[in-house]
Amino acid sequence: MSFLTMVYAYLYYFAALVLLAGLTFKVTQYARTPAPLKIPTTPAPTTRSGVVFRMTREVVLFESLFRGNKWTWIFGWIFHFGLFLVTLRHLRYFMEPVWLPIELVQPFGIYGGMAMVVGLAGLWARRFFVDRVRYISSPSDHLILALLIAIGSTGLLMKFVFHTDVVAVKSFFIGLYRFDPQPLPGDPLLLLHLFLVAALMIIFPYSKLLHAPGLFFSPSRNQVDNPRERRHIAPWAKRLEQE
């Protein structure tokens, strides 16, 4: 195993460990955080099945964002849908044989990469040109958007301009989860792309990107609007009452 392959193998093992451990810690923390008040954003569903339907609309259609700001919704939805297609396209690097649905999505994944970069560019532009958004934007907001755009741009460049040996790349990643890393191509753009992806994996559990799993733990979204029918008591409050 070459030095370059060894460095990137250990980098991805470390990034995967940080990602899994960080997500596990944060999701556990979210799950244990008490919600002492009944605070669903109205109009809210009055049944558990209604909550599931509402959460589905939030995850798939970004319903609340659509009501709040149409331009942000457009660029945000374009980015997330593009990212979804790109993720499906990249699954081919981690499976052998490749499933038929993943084969069918390959052409659409290319357009997903373009949509991803366009959506990110729009979201980044609003942080410069919308006064109230520029005022609350922190350096980390700009750095995360720049990182995501760099990942998308380097991926598109490898597809259309600077081609790389995708068969060797697939062998490398399949070798990783078999604990038998295979030689990684030394193309500079590929190495940059993979480094940026690893960096994203490392910072993900500690950044604002955690809104992805955090959405499911939001009391304003996941609570049933039934304060008159049923008393809402947080677990820690129940223990106090019993004492």
Side-chain angles (χ1 to χ4, degrees):
M1 183 166 52
S2 68
F3 176 74
L4 182 64
T5 299
M6 182 179 65
V7 168
Y8 271 79
Y10 283 120
L11 173 62
Y12 268 85
Y13 283 135
F14 175 73
L17 177 63
V18 172
L19 178 66
L20 292 176
L23 283 178
T24 300
F25 173 76
K26 296 302 291 187
V27 168
T28 302
Q29 186 180 48
Y30 290 156
R32 290 180 176 176
T33 301
L37 301 175
K38 178 70 73 169
I39 54 172
T41 302
T42 56
T46 57
T47 63
R48 180 55 60 182
S49 59
V51 170
V52 172
F53 183 56
R54 182 188 201 182
M55 292 298 296
T56 301
R57 298 199 310 268
E58 280 292 333
V59 172
V60 177
L61 302 175
F62 302 175
E63 182 180 45
S64 59
L65 184 59
F66 177 80
R67 293 175 177 175
N69 188 294
K70 299 298 188 293
W71 279 108
T72 304
W73 175 82
I74 290 173
F75 289 119
W77 197 87
I78 288 174
F79 159 60
H80 285 87
F81 186 67
L83 178 61
F84 174 69
L85 292 177
V86 168
T87 302
L88 291 180
R89 175 179 167 82
H90 279 66
L91 287 179
R92 64 177 175 160
Y93 293 106
F94 303 93
M95 58 177 61
E96 185 60 46
V98 179
W99 298 345
L100 179 60
I102 303 303
E103 290 183 356
L104 296 177
V105 84
Q106 294 301 307
F108 303 100
I110 299 172
Y111 297 109
M114 299 176 185
M116 174 181 163
V117 174
V118 169
L120 286 167
L123 293 173
W124 201 5
R126 65 189 277 272
R127 292 195 176 273
F128 290 101
F129 299 116
V130 180
D131 291 340
R132 60 185 179 82
V133 179
R134 183 174 65 248
Y135 179 76
I136 63 173
S137 295
S138 64
S140 65
D141 296 321
H142 293 284
L143 289 173
I144 289 174
L145 285 167
L147 175 61
L148 290 170
I149 288 178
I151 290 173
S153 299
T154 52
L156 290 173
L157 284 173
M158 283 190 293
K159 172 62 182 176
F160 295 107
V161 184
F162 304 102
H163 302 288
T164 189
D165 186 350
V166 295
V167 175
V169 174
K170 179 172 181 175
S171 297
F172 171 76
F173 280 104
I174 290 180
L176 282 185
Y177 62 76
R178 293 176 177 172
F179 298 101
D180 182 26
Q182 300 301 307
L184 181 67
D187 303 331
L189 194 61
L190 171 65
L191 298 178
L192 175 60
H193 181 74
L194 294 180
F195 177 80
L196 294 174
V197 172
L200 178 64
M201 294 169 63
I202 292 170
I203 70 171
F204 187 93
Y206 312 102
S207 68
K208 293 182 179 179
L209 298 173
L210 261 186
H211 66 266
L215 171 65
F216 297 96
F217 297 93
S218 172
S220 63
R221 292 289 180 270
N222 65 18
Q223 290 186 344
V224 179
D225 190 16
N226 59 353
R228 294 176 180 84
E229 294 80 8
R230 183 176 179 181
R231 186 183 180 193
H232 176 75
I233 306 178
W236 59 268
K238 290 181 181 179
R239 291 194 295 269
L240 290 177
E241 284 191 346
Q242 293 172 356
E243 294 175 357

